[in-house]
Amino acid sequence: MIDQTATVQLLEEVQSLGLLKAEEVEEVKNTMLSCHPFADAVRLAETMHLNIKVDNIDCIPAEFLAQRNAREENAKEGYTKWVFPGGVNVILSAINISQDDLLEANSGEVKAKPFLDHVGIDLREEKPEVRNLFDAIPYLATRQGWAYASQGAPGKPVFCCHVQVAAKHWAYPRNSKTGLSIPLEFAYGPLVINQHSSGCDLRPADPTTIPEGAAVSHCGA
C-alpha cells in the first residue's frame, strides 16, 4: 500500500537533488488524487515507482539514501532500483528503457537528462478485484481520450531490463495542467528478477506520436 504523505515528501526531497522538476512532481501528486482517472489502481497498488532517466545512476548521495532507510533492491550496469519506506521506489536508468530512446538515437535529438520517464503503478496481487481493474485500463484510458498500449500475453510475460511481470498496460495522459504527458505504467503480477539476463520489451512510445515508418523495435533488432 502506498503511503501518500511519505510519497509526497520523498518527491519533494528528490526534487531538491535536481532529479525531478516541479511540474513532474506535480504530475505524480495528481495521480494520487481521488479524482484521478486511475485513482482505484493507485488504491490497489502495492507500490509506485518513478523511473528517472539519468546520465549516471550514482547520482543520489549515499547519505541521502541512508537517512531515509532506502535499500537497493536490484541493480545492473546503467540501472538501479531504490526502495524507500512508504511504498514508493525510485529507479535510475542510464540505459535504453523505451522505444522513445531508440527514436531519439535515430533522430540525433536526445532529450536532456534527468527527466521522469514514467510513473509505475505496481499491481502485484493476483486476485479478481485487481485483475478486473487491470483489464479495464484500456477502456478507462480511451474514455479519457488518452492513448494506450499493452504488452504481454498468456505464456508470454513482459521482460524488460532484467525484471519481468505477467502483463502491462501503458496510458499516455492528455491535457495536463502542467503540459506534460508522462506515461503511466500499470504492471500486473509479481515482479520476477533475473540476475543473469535482460529482456527487450521496452516501454512503448505513445502510439500517436511515432513517425510513419520509424523503427521502434528492439527485440530481435
Side-chain angles (χ1 to χ4, degrees), residues 11-22:
L11 283 167
E12 293 172 350
E13 292 172 345
V14 173
Q15 180 188 353
S16 73
L17 296 176
L19 294 175
L20 290 172
K21 300 178 181 66

Side-chain angles (χ1 to χ4, degrees), residues 23-25 27-28 116-119 171-173 178 180-184:
E23 56 268 31
E24 293 172 333
V25 170
E27 283 298 294
V28 181
L116 181 58
D117 181 86
H118 66 268
V119 177
Y172 305 87
T178 67
L180 300 179
S181 179
I182 299 173
L184 298 178

Side-chain angles (χ1 to χ4, degrees), residues 67-141:
Q67 289 175 344
R68 291 156 183 80
N69 296 316
R71 61 180 175 84
E72 193 173 40
E73 184 175 88
N74 57 72
K76 289 281 188 178
E77 184 178 357
Y79 176 101
T80 189
K81 176 181 177 181
W82 291 99
V83 176
F84 290 84
V88 60
N89 306 322
V90 175
I91 297 173
L92 303 175
S93 303
I95 57 175
N96 287 341
I97 60 166
S98 71
Q99 292 180 340
D100 288 308
D101 291 331
L102 303 185
L103 290 168
E104 289 178 1
N106 290 335
S107 68
E109 299 178 3
V110 179
K111 189 174 180 179
K113 304 179 185 68
F115 66 87
L116 181 58
D117 181 86
H118 66 268
V119 177
I121 312 298
D122 305 318
L123 302 168
R124 303 289 187 224
E125 292 189 276
E126 294 179 307
K127 60 182 184 180
E129 181 184 13
V130 177
R131 181 74 217 200
N132 290 339
L133 186 143
F134 176 78
D135 289 341
I137 286 170
Y139 164 75
L140 295 173

Side-chain angles (χ1 to χ4, degrees), residues 10-58:
L10 181 63
L11 283 167
E12 293 172 350
E13 292 172 345
V14 173
Q15 180 188 353
S16 73
L17 296 176
L19 294 175
L20 290 172
K21 300 178 181 66
E23 56 268 31
E24 293 172 333
V25 170
E26 193 63 27
E27 283 298 294
V28 181
K29 289 180 180 179
N30 288 341
T31 66
M32 296 184 289
L33 296 176
S34 60
C35 59
H36 191 271
F38 292 106
D40 286 340
V42 174
R43 175 179 59 84
L44 293 174
E46 181 178 299
T47 53
M48 171 186 288
H49 69 264
L50 312 175
N51 195 311
I52 304 173
K53 287 300 297 288
V54 294
D55 289 314
N56 179 5
I57 63 171
D58 297 320

